[in-house]
Amino acid sequence: MFKLSKLTDYAVVVLVRLARQDGVQTSPGIAAATFIPEPTVAKVLKTLAGKGLVTSQRGAHGGYRLARPLAAIPVADVIAAIDGPIALTACVEGGSCESERLCPMHGRWDPVNEAIDAALHGITLADMDHAIPRAFREPAFVAHRDESGASAPEAVARL
Amino acid sequence: MFKLSKLTDYAVVVLVRLARQDGVQTSPGIAAATFIPEPTVAKVLKTLAGKGLVTSQRGAHGGYRLARPLAAIPVADVIAAIDGPIALTACVEGGSCESERLCPMHGRWDPVNEAIDAALHGITLADMDHAIPRAFREPAFVAHRDESGASAPEAVARL
DNA sequence: TCAATCAGGACCGCAGCGGTCCGAATGGTT
DNA sequence: AACCATTCGGACCGCTGCGGTCCTGATTGA
């Protein structure tokens, strides 16, 4: 239904979490803080590192850190990193769908693509961070979550 | 990869085709003209009729016709009709993901959703129609396609 | 040398999509 | 009244891709 993948959602949460504190952070640590399963966090982090959104440091006391501040990361970059290039139709992404000259669909979705691309580039992770109710960013919230216990894993994503 | 369903692409093609000529048009007829498999055309038309984008007339000499002119149909409507409501994340669509008060993701994607929604409402099918190179709308093109023969069915979509 | 951590795969279950088909309802036509 | 063309509303199915897990290296600090 025109929705982006859950991994992308996770990626945003992880990136925002990385921004909360400087210095490297390990994937188990982020997993614990976000209530996202650890292997999934690792997967997301690896992908993000490959796309240059985060930098990694290997070895003992290694971890990940943000490559640039949240305000310099448009959502479009995150989506592109996880879900691949933003392309509404098959025609648009791979160049010629078969024979570019013959396909009348060619170019049809271009204006739509451009509009969405522009919209996605105009919103940074900092914007999304601010969209969260302040209450959720306070320590009290985290404590409260811990009490709730068992239901945590199925939750979509947390800070 | 953040792309919309092929059915939506078909829907646009079918709607544009409907606009090419007034009076009712049967789904086999549209299928022949668009090179889209007939059952699929029928399915798309049924869905569109259910959402009020086209009107249907049953019985002999029945068929479909546009409910409103192309310029009055934003792409958003077509996408919503075929793919369901535009909602980037699970949280956004169904109301509370579980416990709205506790989920810090709540509201996070809202600005992104609104931006995309606005972009999609700003483009009508008439705009998309005009984006097609004129050459493809001329009779000569259709004749040329017919010659190409066998490869037609696999083509993404045609007028 | 050892432990911690990232890297890069392989792997699998499952939902959703694209696509097809069938029976029933409907309304002209003869 | 009988018939036929056409839409309607499902059921159905194979397959791709996603979410999620795991395993085996490579790298670095203690």
Side-chain angles (χ1 to χ4, degrees):
Chain A
M1 307 122 200
F2 203 63
K3 65 182 176 191
L4 43 80
S5 70
K6 216 183 285 185
L7 271 303
T8 306
D9 197 354
Y10 291 158
V12 172
V13 179
V14 167
L15 288 170
V16 170
R17 168 69 202 180
L18 275 177
R20 288 261 183 284
Q21 133 189 6
D22 40 350
V24 297
Q25 299 180 54
T26 70
S27 49
I30 298 177
T34 57
F35 294 90
I36 303 173
E38 195 275 327
T40 302
V41 171
K43 187 178 200 172
V44 168
L45 251 356
K46 276 183 283 191
T47 307
L48 293 177
K51 296 297 166 55
L53 285 179
V54 302
T55 61
S56 65
Q57 179 169 351
R58 309 178 67 157
H61 298 92
Y64 294 94
R65 76 160 44 107
L66 276 186
R68 8 170 187 150
L70 286 188
I73 306 179
V75 226
D77 285 10
V78 184
I79 297 176
I82 303 289
D83 283 347
I86 299 174
L88 290 188
T89 63
C91 271
V92 187
E93 56 181 324
S96 61
C97 54
E98 53 176 32
S99 164
E100 196 161 322
R101 286 187 317 102
L102 291 177
C103 177
M105 290 304 297
H106 185 256
R108 181 192 289 263
W109 287 95
D110 282 357
V112 182
N113 268 315
E114 287 163 14
I116 290 187
D117 218 46
L120 257 26
H121 273 98
I123 303 181
T124 72
L125 291 193
D127 298 328
M128 298 185 68
D129 190 17
H130 295 147
I132 310 172
R134 272 134 231 79
F136 291 132
R137 294 207 297 273
E138 295 170 1
F141 167 71
V142 178
H144 182 265
R145 278 309 299 179
D146 287 340
E147 297 172 21
S148 76
S151 68
E154 58 176 73
V156 176
R158 312 213 148 66
L159 288 182
Chain B
M1 309 118 200
F2 202 64
K3 65 182 178 190
L4 44 79
S5 69
K6 215 184 285 185
L7 270 304
T8 305
D9 197 354
Y10 290 159
V12 172
V13 178
V14 167
L15 287 169
V16 170
R17 169 68 203 182
L18 274 177
R20 287 262 183 283
Q21 135 188 1
D22 41 350
V24 295
Q25 299 181 52
T26 71
S27 48
I30 298 176
T34 58
F35 294 91
I36 302 173
E38 195 274 329
T40 301
V41 171
K43 186 178 201 171
V44 169
L45 250 358
K46 276 183 282 191
T47 307
L48 293 177
K51 295 299 165 53
L53 285 178
V54 302
T55 61
S56 65
Q57 179 170 352
R58 307 180 67 158
H61 297 94
Y64 294 92
R65 73 160 47 106
L66 275 187
R68 7 171 190 149
L70 286 189
I73 307 179
V75 227
D77 284 11
V78 182
I79 296 177
I82 303 289
D83 283 346
I86 299 174
L88 290 188
T89 64
C91 270
V92 189
E93 55 180 322
S96 61
C97 52
E98 54 178 29
S99 162
E100 195 162 322
R101 286 186 317 102
L102 291 177
C103 176
M105 291 304 296
H106 185 255
R108 184 191 287 265
W109 287 95
D110 283 359
V112 182
N113 268 313
E114 288 162 14
I116 291 187
D117 218 46
L120 257 26
H121 273 97
I123 302 180
T124 72
L125 291 192
D127 297 329
M128 298 186 68
D129 190 18
H130 297 146
I132 310 171
R134 273 134 232 78
F136 291 132
R137 294 208 296 273
E138 295 170 359
F141 166 69
V142 177
H144 182 264
R145 279 308 301 179
D146 287 340
E147 297 172 19
S148 75
S151 68
E154 59 176 69
V156 177
R158 312 215 148 63
L159 291 181

